[in-house]
Amino acid sequence: MPVTIKNSSPVTMLTVLAAIGATLLTATPATAGVNERSHLASACGLYRDGDAAMYKNCSGAGENIFVTYLLGGNTYFCVAPGESKYVGRWSNVFRAYNRGGC
């Protein structure tokens, strides 16, 4: 539905736009939490859980993964079949590469 403001000053227009923008930024769909939880349950490989970077092995064998970080050194992890492993803070993890079995 279009909003029409007649004979308004620039300050009034900016105030209206700011209010609309704030409403759009803070509005969250009711199903957002449900979708995120169902995504976490089925995620394979690198995924985010809050501020944690996690790696889930969905294969039937152990996976040797190489994790690269934005800050600091890189490292290897062995992730058992069907397990999830914490690999660092999400804001610091760049990528995770599967390097075969372990």
Side-chain angles (χ1 to χ4, degrees), residues 7-68:
N7 300 327
S8 63
S9 72
V11 174
T12 303
M13 181 64 82
L14 289 175
T15 304
V16 169
L17 290 175
I20 292 170
T23 302
L24 292 174
L25 287 175
T26 58
T28 304
T31 59
V34 174
N35 290 339
E36 185 174 334
R37 275 186 246 119
S38 65
H39 170 70
L40 290 177
S42 64
C44 294
L46 185 64
Y47 67 95
R48 182 179 187 171
D49 187 7
D51 189 37
M54 304 292 291
Y55 186 90
K56 184 173 183 179
N57 179 358
C58 294
S59 73
E63 289 183 357
N64 186 25
I65 60 167
F66 179 67
V67 180
T68 58

